[in-house]
Amino acid sequence: MKKLPIGIIDMNINNISILNYLTPVFKHEDFIYINDLQQLEYEGLTPEAINERVKKNIDILLTCGIKLLIVVSNTIIEYCLPYLKKLPVPFISIVDVIIDYVNNKYEHKNMAFLASTNIMEANLYQKRFRYNHLYPLISDELDKIINDNKLKTNTSFSTTKELFKPVMKKDVDIIIPTTVNMMLMKTEINEYMPFINIVNIPELICDKINNILTTPEMKGKGKTTIYINVSKKKANFQHLLSVKYKLK
């Protein structure tokens, strides 16, 4: 029987490190990751234009015969949810896995919510969290540090310290990142918020995959393929990946 791949769709590179977590856990599975890097953040596009760009990439994944779609872009969930619900394959939403975990494990607790300006303004999470107190921490600068390969530097530590300063003396029960790449800042976050649990997004997605795949692949070495729509020179994400992949 032909091995069917698992598809991952993203926008920008804020979640590409999900591949570092998934491929070792599901070492027999093939993964196809597709990204739209031509129009970063989809700024200036209408909802209709965003849906068209997303549909184009999902059509590529469906043509590849994916058995499951993982949507790791908050923006795609924000604008394309009705379309995603009509797909012929099951899909996993980064938004849902985070919200479900937080509400099940930390209902009516104090939460530090780590998100970019765009995600904060979209209100994807805040309206669904059940919390005692929600401390919003806008983290545009952290994304830039990660993307510019400045982790574990004076800049990354000082920026993290400044970001978390308003909650350092608060009774925080859980820190909630909203992109997978933010998990790469765990050393910096633990420096200033020690012993506070951080939502492990990759682990939650792995659990969800296991729940959906009743017959996971058990033979053969899995392959990882990355589709992008810019030149390799402009695709500056190699420093975020520790897995082998084929670029298309």
Side-chain angles (χ1 to χ4, degrees), residues 91-129:
F91 77 94
I92 295 171
S93 157
I94 186 175
V95 176
D96 286 343
V97 297
I98 293 173
I99 290 172
D100 289 346
Y101 173 80
V102 170
N103 285 344
N104 286 333
K105 300 292 185 178
Y106 293 90
E107 184 176 6
H108 303 314
K109 299 293 186 178
N110 299 329
M111 307 173 182
F113 179 55
L114 194 58
S116 67
T117 301
N118 288 341
I119 294 174
M120 202 73 73
E121 291 176 350
N123 200 31
L124 285 171
Y125 294 87
Q126 304 95 303
K127 63 185 178 182
R128 293 177 58 190
F129 283 143

Side-chain angles (χ1 to χ4, degrees), residues 20-33:
N20 296 336
Y21 301 91
L22 295 185
T23 52
V25 174
F26 301 97
K27 58 186 178 181
H28 303 296
E29 298 283 356
D30 289 345
F31 288 92
I32 301 177
Y33 172 96

Side-chain angles (χ1 to χ4, degrees), residues 142 145-146 150-161 164 168 182-194 198:
L142 288 192
I145 287 170
I146 295 167
K150 294 181 179 179
L151 291 167
K152 298 178 179 61
T153 63
N154 289 335
T155 299
S156 67
F157 279 98
S158 61
T159 302
T160 303
K161 182 179 180 180
F164 279 88
M168 284 182 190
M182 281 185 189
M183 303 297 298
L184 301 175
M185 299 287 294
K186 192 172 181 179
T187 299
E188 287 86 341
I189 294 172
N190 284 338
E191 176 73 17
Y192 305 107
M193 300 292 289
I198 303 173

Side-chain angles (χ1 to χ4, degrees), residues 10-22:
D10 199 2
M11 185 275 300
N12 209 329
I13 60 172
N14 293 334
N15 291 286
I16 194 168
S17 61
I18 187 66
L19 292 169
N20 296 336
Y21 301 91
L22 295 185

